[in-house]
Amino acid sequence: MKPRIVHRVLLIVGLVALSVFGASAWLADRARGRELSALVERQALILSDTIRGATRSAMLLNERDMVHGIVGQIGRQHGIEKIRVYNKEGEVIFSPDAALVGTKVDQRSEACDGCHSPGKPVPELAAGLTRFFRDSNGHRQLGVITPIRNEPACSNSGCHAHPADQKVLGVLDVTLSLADVDRAVGAGRRSALAIALGGVAALSLLLAAIFHGWVGKPVEALLAATEKVAAGELGHRVKVARADELGRLTESFNQMTTRLAEARHQVYQSNKLASVGRLAAGIAHEINNPLTGVLTYSSFLLKRATDDESRQDLETIVHETKRCRDIVRGLLDFARQVPPKKSQVDLNAIVDRALDIVDNQLRVQNIQVTKSLLAELPAISADANQLQQVVVNLLVNAADAFEGADRQIFLATDRKRVDGREVAEIKVADNGVGIPEKILGKIFEPFFTTKEHKGTGLGLAVSWGIVSEHGGTIAVESKVGRGTTFTVRLPLDSPPAPGSES
Amino acid sequence: VRTAYDVLLVEDEPVVREAATRILRPEGLAVDRVEDVAGALAELRKHDHKVVLSDLMLPGFSGFDLLERVTGERPMLPVILITGYATIENALAAFKKGAFDFLPKPFDVPELLGVVRRALAAVERGVWRSLPPPAATNTGEARNPTRRFLGQHAWVEIAGGVATCGLAESWPGLLAPIRELRLPAPGDHVTQGLACAEIAAEDDSIHRIWAPLSGTVLEINPDVQGDPDLLNRAPFSSGWLARVAPADLETELDALTLRGAPAPAPSGGEKEKRWSS
């Protein structure tokens, strides 16, 4: 699979979202854990105090059975792992598990090293001491050790009086199971993780979809278009539906393709004209000798022919041979396209002169001409005769385009800015029969004609050659039944250098 | 034994050679035929000829080479160049080098007969010299110092940006009565070295006129249109053909020749009678 931007975007968005969500979830989880621990710790201390308080009076009265009862009852509560009361010597004196009573724990045992670390003095326990640890099954537990202090009431009671100088009489060791808490924390963590992952996935997919719609698709369309253009399909255009950067990119792509197509067409046309020119010159020479034979013999026979039938046949031969001669001569004229002899010329004057030349023909054909010449059109550097030839050719073509009674030709000059260039424009439009789309692309090709016997098919090709020799363009638009418009554009860019006329 | 021929035909293409012969012989003309310049020069040494009709593109030496030899050695012998490659350059060079006329292929009977008859007429009257007469001996209005010539085929006189054109020495008095004059219309574009007009004469001949310069036709001489014979009687004055707005005078002047230094201009009416019979 080819790498695609949308995949990369998806990956990056996913990673970023995942790390943001993950970090915040992790922080939230830690804070929650700490809060819960503190809460549990507080609860454990309260419980521990409660046990001490509950057993205090029984202890003072030395009611051992009562203490046992209370400890046993509390010890059976859910979540309380164990309760033990040790005396100063580490002997268990109270426990819900009767078997433990009388057993001793080593000071080095795990439960004791909170205070009795080897080589360290025993700290003064102001309140209870809590510690978290794991049992043999790996469950978390919370141990609370609360000192049972000597009080005047203790040393004064008559039963089993403790010496008054003894500060601590023993410790109450309560161990709570944290299994429930941990389960709740685990469940919370799982749901947070699920939400985070779901959020990441949803965000990534949404962004990817939006990205695909806004960027991916147009880019793919452009990509497909560049491939088509690269394959030579220069007529391909991408639809522009937006005004943003991608829209502008598409538009400039279209423009670029249009210009590429124009440039290629120009090169193609120039090459074709040049090769036709060479071909024409070659043919003209080769064909003129045999044509001389045909023409001389036939005109010689015609001269001596006596009966009308032969005369007519020979006249046809002579006439048709002369047509061949005209065609060859047209070819040579075409091959002889000379570079324009430029001087500063007034396009309006050229248009007027061209119109004068065909005026008679237009009048005979009942054609009405509307002129719209831009008076302040600047002079351009051009070959007046060649341009006049172009305009005459376009006018004659227009005059040949009529079938109905409404015969109008619109002739205009204008000044325009096209693709950043100042151009002078000549427009010759008619409301004649129009040119079918399928032949519109061929009309500038040499020898293409729709006029059967009337034309050589070189007029527009020659016009094309003249206009491109002037650095200009000639374009055609046509609709069948509506008419045809030819637009000649000539560059105004190069300002006339003084004295350049010669 | 020196044989007198009317025409020396130099042509390497058999069909053209044969066709030209078939046209000229029934006219009562003696035609001497060769295939190349070497053969032509040999024939010219051995026999007498009135007119040379030579192809331009020949194997070995070209028609131009033959033309140069003939103008150098036999200035009274008119050379007509025929070619299948009728470029402007060839046409202009032919006239500049002293050819009587230039006939592009393919030609028909009236065209070939026209140019050959005209050349024969010039020889008969002794009015042809391959190179234009020097200024001192140049008489009549042909001597006008501002005139420029396309060989001896046509002339141009430029005044005030307008060129007046007319026919030169290879025409007047040499034509049969004119039946029809086919001239360009005002507004038409003519190109130097290409045909711009045609004369059809009563003897069924056709003569083509080559434009001495390029430009747009401004005016046709109405007198000539009404009375074509003016071309025969007064080609250098009232028999002018057309006025043209030159398109590119600077470069085209090279193809035209200016003849000699100015001299006092006598009135030409009298002298021009020299051309007519």
Side-chain angles (χ1 to χ4, degrees):
Chain A
M1 199 172 82
K2 283 182 189 165
R4 291 175 57 176
I5 301 179
V6 66
H7 293 153
R8 210 171 280 187
V9 168
L10 196 61
L11 185 71
I12 290 168
V13 168
L15 284 177
V16 169
L18 200 59
S19 43
V20 169
F21 273 96
S24 62
W26 182 73
L27 288 173
D29 185 60
R30 245 173 50 141
R32 216 163 88 95
R34 258 192 233 126
E35 270 165 31
L36 268 175
S37 297
L39 194 67
V40 168
E41 224 175 325
R42 242 180 354 261
Q43 296 288 337
L45 285 171
I46 290 167
L47 180 67
S48 184
D49 270 359
T50 309
I51 296 170
R52 225 171 32 165
T55 55
R56 187 170 175 266
S57 56
M59 280 195 188
L60 282 177
L61 293 172
N62 204 15
E63 294 275 359
R64 284 179 171 261
D65 288 345
M66 207 172 163
V67 175
H68 271 300
I70 294 165
V71 168
Q73 208 167 9
I74 295 173
R76 278 192 297 276
Q77 294 288 312
H78 176 74
I80 295 178
E81 204 69 8
K82 63 181 185 187
I83 303 177
R84 274 161 225 182
V85 178
Y86 300 91
N87 66 8
K88 183 76 172 149
E89 284 71 41
E91 193 185 331
V92 176
I93 48 174
F94 297 108
S95 167
D97 185 355
L100 286 172
V101 175
T103 58
K104 254 184 132 172
V105 286
D106 192 353
Q107 276 197 347
R108 278 166 307 207
S109 78
E110 196 199 352
C112 305
D113 68 1
C115 301
H116 300 279
S117 324
K120 277 190 188 162
V122 177
E124 285 273 320
L125 280 177
L129 182 73
T130 57
R131 68 194 174 93
F132 290 91
F133 62 95
R134 285 181 192 277
D135 67 4
S136 51
N137 296 326
H139 295 306
R140 241 159 39 105
Q141 295 188 334
L142 173 60
V144 185
I145 291 170
T146 322
I148 302 167
R149 285 173 206 285
N150 201 0
E151 291 174 34
C154 299
S155 53
N156 294 344
S157 78
C159 53
H160 59 288
H162 297 281
D165 59 339
Q166 199 177 346
K167 277 186 180 163
V168 173
L169 301 177
V171 290
L172 170 64
D173 178 5
V174 179
T175 303
L176 299 172
S177 168
L178 292 178
D180 284 352
V181 172
D182 284 349
R183 245 194 315 279
V185 167
R189 193 175 288 162
R190 274 193 299 280
S191 67
L193 189 67
I195 290 169
L197 284 178
V200 167
L203 185 67
S204 304
L205 287 176
L206 186 68
L207 276 178
I210 291 172
F211 182 84
H212 181 67
W214 279 7
V215 180
K217 265 192 188 162
V219 168
E220 266 164 36
L222 268 177
L223 193 66
T226 53
E227 275 162 10
K228 279 191 175 160
V229 169
E233 203 182 305
L234 290 182
H236 189 78
R237 296 288 176 276
V238 189
K239 221 167 74 188
V240 185
R242 291 152 48 160
D244 59 8
E245 290 95 325
L246 267 174
R248 292 205 296 277
L249 177 65
T250 309
E251 213 170 279
S252 76
F253 172 82
N254 284 343
Q255 272 178 17
M256 192 183 74
T257 313
T258 307
R259 277 192 218 144
L260 194 63
E262 275 168 14
R264 197 176 73 156
H265 185 68
Q266 299 239 341
V267 169
Y268 168 74
Q269 196 78 303
S270 304
N271 285 344
K272 192 155 61 183
L273 291 189
S275 51
V276 164
R278 281 194 297 277
L279 181 75
I283 283 181
H285 186 222
E286 288 307 316
I287 218 164
N288 275 339
N289 281 325
L291 272 186
T292 308
V294 178
L295 190 56
T296 45
Y297 278 109
S298 55
S299 59
F300 183 58
L301 284 177
L302 177 63
K303 221 176 146 206
R304 299 196 305 181
T306 46
D307 62 309
D308 279 354
E309 201 181 333
S310 305
R311 280 196 71 87
Q312 266 176 19
D313 291 352
L314 286 164
E315 264 166 14
T316 306
I317 295 173
V318 169
H319 182 258
E320 294 305 299
T321 312
K322 282 187 175 167
R323 250 186 71 201
C324 288
R325 174 171 78 176
D326 292 342
I327 291 168
V328 174
R329 198 167 295 157
L331 271 175
L332 277 174
D333 282 353
F334 176 69
R336 186 186 48 84
Q337 270 185 34
V338 288
K341 292 162 185 165
K342 292 185 180 175
S343 58
Q344 290 299 312
V345 298
D346 175 7
L347 271 189
N348 289 338
I350 289 173
V351 167
D352 276 332
R353 225 180 305 146
L355 196 56
D356 282 347
I357 290 171
V358 292
D359 192 43
N360 259 330
Q361 187 189 342
L362 298 183
R363 213 172 311 150
V364 167
Q365 289 178 255
N366 256 328
I367 296 166
Q368 195 192 337
V369 179
T370 313
K371 267 197 305 184
S372 163
L373 306 185
L374 182 74
E376 58 271 26
L377 198 64
I380 70 163
S381 174
D383 185 319
N385 284 307
Q386 289 192 354
L387 288 189
Q388 180 183 315
Q389 190 185 341
V390 171
V391 180
V392 167
N393 180 250
L394 293 180
L395 285 171
V396 168
N397 280 348
D400 287 339
F402 296 108
E403 272 174 2
D406 181 25
R407 302 172 164 206
Q408 299 198 27
I409 291 179
F410 176 71
L411 186 58
T413 57
D414 204 351
R415 180 185 187 160
K416 281 203 173 146
R417 201 169 178 83
V418 179
D419 294 338
R421 291 183 81 188
E422 283 286 312
V423 295
E425 190 178 86
I426 306 171
K427 250 192 169 80
V428 180
D430 65 66
N431 64 343
V433 292
I435 304 167
E437 205 178 327
K438 65 172 196 259
I439 62 165
L440 200 58
K442 297 184 193 163
I443 59 167
F444 293 110
E445 299 198 357
F447 308 117
F448 181 84
T449 179
T450 55
K451 299 184 188 172
E452 298 291 324
H453 297 293
K454 275 173 79 183
T456 57
L458 289 172
L460 280 174
V462 169
S463 295
W464 194 97
I466 290 173
V467 174
S468 28
E469 277 289 330
H470 281 79
T473 59
I474 179 166
V476 61
E477 279 173 86
S478 188
K479 271 225 166 71
V480 172
R482 301 278 296 277
T484 306
T485 303
F486 281 91
T487 309
V488 175
R489 287 183 177 146
L490 299 161
L492 279 172
D493 288 343
S494 42
S500 69
E501 261 190 49
S502 58
Chain B
V1 182
R2 272 187 99 82
T3 317
Y5 287 103
D6 293 298
V7 177
L8 172 61
L9 177 62
V10 192
E11 170 63 79
D12 60 323
E13 188 76 23
V15 72
V16 180
R17 203 166 57 230
E18 198 55 42
T21 313
R22 292 278 292 268
I23 292 165
L24 296 174
R25 280 192 179 151
E27 295 290 308
L29 299 175
V31 183
D32 188 10
R33 306 187 297 176
V34 290
E35 288 170 35
D36 54 22
V37 174
L41 293 174
E43 285 303 290
L44 284 172
R45 273 192 297 275
K46 277 190 271 176
H47 306 292
D48 296 321
H49 303 87
K50 288 182 183 162
V51 172
V52 176
L53 189 63
S54 173
D55 190 19
L56 196 51
M57 287 197 176
L58 293 164
F61 293 103
S62 78
F64 283 136
D65 297 319
L66 178 63
L67 174 63
E68 272 168 34
R69 286 292 291 269
V70 171
T71 53
E73 295 168 19
R74 309 273 292 274
M76 309 285 274
L77 180 60
V79 177
I80 299 159
L81 287 175
I82 50 180
T83 181
Y85 199 62
T87 62
I88 291 175
E89 292 74 23
N90 283 345
L92 298 179
F95 286 118
K96 191 148 198 173
K97 287 174 196 282
F100 182 85
D101 209 340
F102 183 75
L103 182 64
K105 292 180 196 170
F107 45 79
D108 61 4
V109 175
E111 285 165 359
L112 179 66
L113 283 182
V115 67
V116 171
R117 281 179 189 154
R118 198 147 50 84
L120 285 170
V123 171
E124 243 162 62
R125 278 163 220 193
V127 295
W128 177 257
R129 267 154 296 171
S130 290
L131 291 176
T137 58
N138 190 5
T139 50
E141 287 191 22
R143 196 203 31 76
N144 185 322
T146 60
R147 275 198 182 150
R148 290 164 198 273
F149 291 80
L150 178 65
Q152 296 172 70
H153 183 76
W155 58 264
V156 178
E157 195 175 319
I158 297 135
V162 175
T164 307
C165 310
L167 297 179
E169 290 90 343
S170 65
W171 296 92
L174 307 177
L175 280 168
I178 292 169
R179 182 190 292 159
E180 193 192 345
L181 198 51
R182 297 181 200 117
L183 296 170
D188 281 1
H189 185 75
V190 295
T191 305
Q192 185 185 45
L194 291 186
C196 65
E198 219 172 62
I199 296 170
E202 288 294 349
D203 62 352
D204 283 336
S205 64
I206 286 176
H207 307 257
R208 240 180 271 168
I209 299 168
W210 306 92
L213 85 171
S214 305
T216 308
V217 175
L218 300 172
E219 185 191 359
I220 295 293
N221 185 356
D223 297 343
V224 163
Q225 275 175 314
D227 174 18
D229 202 49
L230 261 182
L231 289 178
N232 265 333
R233 297 197 310 269
F236 292 101
S237 53
S238 54
W240 59 273
L241 266 185
R243 290 196 214 281
V244 172
D248 184 32
L249 211 49
E250 299 261 335
T251 44
E252 290 191 347
L253 284 183
D254 288 349
L256 306 177
T257 40
L258 205 60
R259 296 178 188 167
S267 90
E270 221 39 47
K271 300 287 180 188
E272 270 202 339
K273 288 206 169 109
R274 185 171 86 88
W275 295 106
S276 52
S277 51

